[in-house]
């Protein structure tokens, strides 16, 4: 039976790109900035990194990009004293074979787990049994333990039921889930389950939304894979630690400001996360088409107050 990632706060890191040469539409990887950001996160309490997820623009990366990025992060983390630092590699393929191929590549490059997005292209005619069979076929062949990535907004509104998760939790190579949606009922059913295969040492439930962190932890969740933590790692880690320590007044205050700040990432996605990284941490990055990096001053001004509040938390 595969072990899940350890509990805590993880960051779905954006993929950093430098400016492309003239007349070249595709910006190249900026691995120097990528590793600088990764080390900053590790030094500020982040438990692990999710590479090549939705925030990482995985669908715009080639296999060579994937190999280069994971390999470089693993080398730099090991070299900086973070040996065996948890790295989770995402996949967003529709086919079993393509997904397994990406998981194999990720293992060879240094990842320890895979985060496998549900295949939503045919969402309107996919049954829950079809999803179970798909994930089992992937897990049977995957060289990495896998977590189920449930993100209806990027999967053509495809949803997995609690009973589907329960069935899949019995597979020895499926060890958890990331739930990126507002359905706290599903979080509760999974994280509070008394079924043996769903116990926390076998199946970890992470929320993908930091604005839900306090309630998710209260029902037994393992933590968060949270985009705002890419910009303010200490603030989100402090929220996690406050809940774990039973410091409820502080936890509620932190949850309120984190929830407001999360609106930047939820509302603007990768573009919002990269704008925050540029303005707050001085880490600049392009996006790959069709995404375009950058927010107007008017758009950013709506977030300045809460960004200052989070910055104050970050410094304490």
């Amino acid at each position: 039976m595969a072990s899940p990632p350890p509990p805590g706060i993880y960051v779905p890191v954006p993929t950093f790109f430098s400016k492309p040469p003239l007349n070249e539409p595709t910006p190249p990887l900026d691995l120097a900035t990528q590793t600088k950001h990764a080390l900053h996160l590790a030094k500020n309490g982040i438990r692990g990194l999710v590479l090549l997820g939705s925030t990482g623009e995985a669908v715009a990366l080639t296999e060579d990009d994937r190999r280069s990025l994971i390999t470089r992060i693993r080398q730099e983390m090991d070299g900086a004293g973070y040996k065996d630092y948890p790295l989770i590699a995402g996949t967003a393929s529709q086919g079993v074979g393509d997904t397994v191929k990406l998981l194999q590549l990720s293992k060879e490059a240094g990842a320890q787990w895979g985060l496998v997005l549900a295949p939503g292209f045919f969402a309107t005619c996919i049954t829950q049994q079809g999803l179970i069979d798909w994930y089992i076929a992937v897990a049977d062949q995957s060289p990495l333990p896998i977590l189920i990535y449930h993100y209806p907004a990027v999967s053509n509104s495809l949803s997995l039921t609690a009973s589907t998760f329960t069935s899949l939790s019995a597979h020895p190579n499926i060890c958890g889930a990331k739930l990126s949606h507002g359905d706290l009922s599903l979080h509760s059913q999974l994280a509070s389950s008394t079924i043996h295969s769903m116990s926390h040492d076998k199946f970890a439930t992470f929320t993908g939304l930091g604005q839900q962190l306090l309630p998710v932890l209260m029902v037994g969740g393992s933590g968060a894979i949270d985009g705002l933590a890419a910009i303010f790692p200490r603030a989100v880690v402090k929220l996690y630690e406050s809940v774990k320590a039973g410091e409820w007044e502080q936890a509620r205050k932190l949850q309120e400001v984190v929830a407001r700040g999360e609106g930047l990432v939820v509302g603007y996605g990768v573009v919002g996360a990269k704008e925050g990284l540029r303005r707050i941490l001085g880490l600049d990055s392009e996006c790959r088409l069709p995404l375009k990096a950058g927010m107007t001053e008017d758009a950013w001004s709506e977030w300045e107050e809460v960004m200052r509040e989070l910055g104050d938390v970050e410094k304490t």
Side-chain angles (χ1 to χ4, degrees), residues 194-217:
T194 58
I195 296 171
H196 179 69
S197 63
M198 297 288 286
S199 61
H200 296 166
D201 62 331
K202 297 179 175 62
F203 192 92
T205 302
F206 293 90
T207 179
L209 301 172
Q211 60 265 54
Q212 299 175 335
L213 183 54
L214 192 159
V216 167
L217 291 175

Side-chain angles (χ1 to χ4, degrees), residues 17-55:
F17 303 108
S18 56
K19 289 190 179 296
L22 189 64
N23 298 323
E24 171 56 55
T26 303
L29 295 176
D30 181 354
L31 295 178
T33 303
Q34 191 82 52
T35 54
K36 180 179 180 180
H37 183 234
L39 289 169
H40 171 74
L41 297 176
K43 291 172 183 176
N44 284 282
I46 295 302
R47 192 65 183 87
L49 307 178
V50 173
L51 309 173
L52 305 163
S54 49
T55 306

Side-chain angles (χ1 to χ4, degrees), residues 84-163:
D84 300 323
Y85 189 75
L87 298 182
I88 304 170
T91 71
S93 297
Q94 300 295 304
V96 170
D98 288 343
T99 302
V100 171
K101 183 179 179 182
L102 291 177
L103 291 166
Q104 178 66 49
L105 184 158
S106 299
K107 177 180 173 61
E108 293 169 357
Q112 300 110 307
W113 293 272
L115 180 64
V116 180
L117 183 69
F121 188 85
F122 296 108
T124 57
C125 51
I126 292 176
T127 65
Q128 293 297 303
Q129 188 58 52
L131 287 169
I132 291 170
D133 292 347
W134 188 89
Y135 270 107
I136 287 175
V138 170
D140 280 348
Q141 300 175 65
S142 174
L144 290 175
I146 66 171
L147 291 83
I148 300 162
Y149 189 10
H150 189 214
Y151 191 1
V154 299
S155 302
N156 207 9
S157 299
L158 180 68
S159 291
L160 284 73
T161 64
S163 61

